[in-house]
Amino acid sequence: MAVSTVYTVQSLNSTCSISKPTKTHLGFNQKQLVFFKKTTTTTTRRPTTVITCSAGDTVVIGLAADSGCGKSTFMRRLTSVFGGAAEPPKGGNPDSNTLISDTTTVICLDDYHSLDRTGRKEKGVTALDPRANNFDLMYEQVKAIKSGVPVEKPIYNHVTGLIDPPELIKPPKIFVIEGLHPMYDARVRELLDFSIYLDISNEVKFAWKIQRDMAERGHSLESIKASIEARKPDFDAYIDPQKQYADAVIEVLPTQLIPDDNEGKVLRVRLIMKEGVKYFNPVYLFDEGSTISWIPCGRKLTCSYPGIKFSYGPETYFGHEVSVLEMDGQFDRLDELIYVESHLSNLSSKFYGEVTQQMLKHADFPGSNNGTGFFQTIVGLKIRDLFEQIVASKTGAPLEATKA
Ligand SMILES: Nc1ncnc2c1ncn2[C@@H]1O[C@H](COP(=O)(O)OP(=O)(O)OP(=O)(O)O)[C@@H](O)[C@H]1O
Ligand SMILES: O=C(CO)[C@H](O)[C@H](O)COP(=O)(O)O
C-alpha cells in the first residue's frame, strides 16, 4: 500500500517560499528542499512540494555547556534582545527541543544523538560520548542551513528517550546551535560565526543541580551526586576542552568575597573575551587594556554583605590573548545597575541603559542579581551587533550607529 509522508510546514519567514514542483525538480537542486512522495518500499521520483530559501544569509552561533548549566536561560535572554518571544514550532512535535522567534531559531544538539536512551545503556556510553552522536549529519545540516537550504532535523525526545520523526527547519536570520558539542567537530566549528562556552565550576554546577533536580524534579541528593560523578570523565574528555575554541566564555565560580564559602549562592563570574575576533570588540571597564579593580559600592550602588567587586584586564587563555571582565558579588537593586553600565564601554547597546533595561525586564530569570545574568545580557547585545555587522558587510548597507 502506498503512503505519503505528511510534513507540517510552519509559517514561512521572509526568506523562504513554498511552491509546486516543476520538471526541473526531478533533478537535485542544492538550494531547495524537495519532498518526494514515499511508498512503503521505495521513494518515487515524483516530487510533491518544493521549499526555496534565499541562500547564505544565516549567521550561526554556537553555545556549549553541560546539561543544567543555564543554556536555556541564556537563550531566553538572547532572543529577548532581538525582540519577540521564542516558541516551539507551531503544530509540530510537542516534545520538540527547537525554539523559533522572528529572527532566531535555536536548535538543541541533543537532536543529533545517534543512540537513544536504550541504545546508550546497551552500549554503556553516555550522551556526552561522541559515539552517541551523529556529527556527519550535524555538519551537513548546519552547513545546509548556513547556505540557505532547509533541513529535516531529527528530534531527540527527552520525555521518551527515543529518536522521533524529523521536523522541518528553515534557515533563519540567526541560527543558534546549543548543547553539549557545538565546537567538538572541526567541520561544525568552522561554520560558526561566533561561539560561547558556559563554564560552570563543579561546586556551582552541583548547587544548581540540587536546586533544580531536588526541588523541582524530586531527585534525591545521592542520585544527583551519582549522575554528576558518572558524567564527569566524559565531560572532562569531550565537553570541557571545547572552551579553548570559544570566542567568549562565561566562567562561574564560587565567590572570593566570603572566606571558605560553601553555600554557592554568591558567585564570581568572569567574562573571557577573545581578542582579534572579526566583528567582536570586547567590552572594557574604564580604560581599554588596563588592569583595573573597582568596588562600586557606596553612594550610587547599594551593596549588602559581602559587597561587589569588579575587575578587568588582559590575560592569556589557552594561548590566546583575551580581555577578562569579572564581577564578584550580587546586586541589591537592579535599577542601580545603570551606574555600573555607565562605566563600561563597547557594550554595543542601542541606547544608554539598554543592559539595565534588559536586566529589569527579566528580573525573575535565574542569575539576574549577579554576573551570570549581567554578562549573558551583554553577550546577547554583542551577538546582535555581530549579526548586524555581518549583514551590513554582505549588503554594503551602512550600519545604524550604536551607542557605547
Ligand atoms: N545564572 C544562574 N543562577 C542560578 N541558577 C541558575 C542559573 N542559570 C541556571 N540556573 C539553574 O540551573 C537550572 C538549569 O538552567 P537552564 O534550564 O537554563 O539550563 P540548561 O543548560 O538549559 O539545562 P538542560 O540542558 O538540562 O535543559 C535552572 O533551573 C536554575 O535552577
Ligand atoms: O546531557 C544531556 C544533554 O541535555 C542529556 O543527558 C542527554 O541529552 C540525554 O538525555 P536524557 O537524559 O533525557 O536521555
Side-chain angles (χ1 to χ4, degrees):
M1 186 186 63
V3 289
S4 298
T5 309
V6 178
Y7 294 93
T8 312
V9 178
Q10 318 309 326
S11 62
L12 295 171
N13 65 24
S14 56
T15 58
C16 299
S17 63
I18 194 164
S19 62
K20 291 262 175 254
T22 66
K23 276 184 187 165
T24 57
H25 294 123
L26 289 171
F28 191 70
N29 182 333
Q30 287 198 337
K31 296 289 175 217
Q32 289 167 324
L33 182 72
V34 181
F35 292 133
F36 290 92
K37 191 173 177 185
K38 281 188 180 170
T39 68
T40 42
T41 52
T42 173
T43 300
T44 71
R45 292 190 69 238
R46 187 166 165 67
T48 55
T49 311
V50 178
I51 294 185
T52 312
C53 294
S54 60
D57 286 336
T58 296
V59 170
V60 185
I61 310 292
L63 172 67
D66 197 2
S67 152
C69 286
K71 297 185 296 293
S72 313
T73 311
F74 184 19
M75 282 303 111
R76 288 196 289 160
R77 287 190 198 277
L78 174 69
T79 45
S80 159
V81 165
F82 288 95
E87 288 174 356
K90 284 193 184 69
N93 185 332
D95 295 328
S96 165
N97 302 306
T98 301
L99 285 174
I100 300 176
S101 75
D102 289 346
T103 327
T104 59
T105 293
V106 182
I107 64 155
C108 175
L109 296 178
D110 294 350
D111 288 335
Y112 293 99
H113 288 338
S114 51
L115 296 174
D116 63 12
R117 205 174 281 156
T118 313
R120 291 196 299 271
K121 208 169 175 187
E122 279 168 6
K123 290 225 161 52
V125 293
T126 71
L128 300 92
D129 191 315
R131 288 172 295 173
N133 295 279
N134 186 344
F135 287 102
D136 289 342
L137 185 65
M138 189 192 294
Y139 165 62
E140 288 303 334
Q141 298 204 330
V142 176
K143 189 168 106 183
I145 291 285
K146 190 166 173 136
S147 45
V149 182
V151 298
E152 284 279 304
K153 180 190 59 54
I155 299 173
Y156 177 73
N157 188 322
H158 280 281
V159 179
T160 61
L162 298 171
I163 295 162
D164 281 353
E167 63 186 354
L168 178 67
I169 302 290
K170 287 173 286 159
K173 289 182 179 154
I174 300 172
F175 187 51
V176 185
I177 59 169
E178 64 95 346
L180 298 170
H181 304 101
M183 282 101 88
Y184 180 82
D185 184 289
R187 297 166 303 171
V188 180
R189 209 159 63 223
E190 278 299 302
L191 294 170
L192 301 177
D193 292 291
F194 194 74
S195 53
I196 307 124
Y197 185 91
L198 300 183
D199 188 6
I200 315 299
S201 66
N202 287 333
E203 300 92 320
V204 176
K205 202 190 283 186
F206 189 56
W208 287 2
K209 274 255 175 212
I210 288 177
Q211 183 188 318
R212 181 179 74 170
D213 294 354
M214 250 174 108
E216 297 166 23
R217 300 187 179 176
H219 296 186
S220 69
L221 188 63
E222 289 65 37
S223 72
I224 297 168
K225 271 188 191 158
S227 135
I228 290 180
E229 283 309 311
R231 290 170 71 96
K232 194 153 184 332
D234 283 352
F235 174 79
D236 291 343
Y238 309 120
I239 312 304
D240 194 57
Q242 293 177 91
K243 63 190 180 196
Q244 65 188 292
Y245 304 117
D247 297 317
V249 175
I250 299 180
E251 199 174 83
V252 185
L253 304 150
T255 183
Q256 286 183 336
L257 300 174
I258 306 171
D260 304 319
D261 174 65
N262 50 19
E263 248 194 285
K265 286 215 171 104
V266 181
L267 301 175
R268 174 180 163 230
V269 187
R270 286 159 49 87
L271 174 57
I272 302 166
M273 299 163 281
K274 212 178 247 178
E275 297 288 347
V277 176
K278 202 169 179 194
Y279 305 124
F280 175 62
N281 294 317
V283 174
Y284 64 88
L285 179 63
F286 295 120
D287 183 33
E288 192 167 16
S290 298
T291 298
I292 286 160
S293 177
W294 182 43
I295 295 176
C297 307
R299 294 190 185 173
K300 298 195 177 139
L301 195 75
T302 314
C303 298
S304 52
Y305 179 81
I308 298 179
K309 183 178 171 191
F310 277 88
S311 318
Y312 162 77
E315 285 185 27
T316 304
Y317 186 75
F318 291 97
H320 296 289
E321 265 183 55
V322 295
S323 287
V324 181
L325 177 65
E326 176 178 317
M327 175 184 160
D328 196 347
Q330 53 192 37
F331 303 112
D332 280 6
R333 292 188 45 176
L334 271 189
D335 55 334
E336 290 177 348
L337 192 56
I338 188 81
Y339 176 65
V340 175
E341 182 177 348
S342 65
H343 289 82
L344 292 167
S345 299
N346 268 351
L347 281 171
S348 302
S349 50
K350 297 264 190 205
F351 53 88
Y352 178 69
E354 190 178 14
V355 178
T356 306
Q357 189 197 64
Q358 281 291 329
M359 291 286 284
L360 284 165
K361 194 166 152 193
H362 302 300
D364 56 330
F365 285 9
S368 286
N369 65 343
N370 62 40
T372 59
F374 190 41
F375 292 162
Q376 286 177 6
T377 304
I378 290 175
V379 173
L381 297 188
K382 299 305 291 183
I383 290 174
R384 180 183 65 190
D385 185 46
L386 179 115
F387 164 72
E388 289 176 352
Q389 289 191 58
I390 293 176
V391 171
S393 74
K394 283 186 181 162
T395 60
L399 258 187
E400 189 190 327
T402 54
K403 213 210 142 282

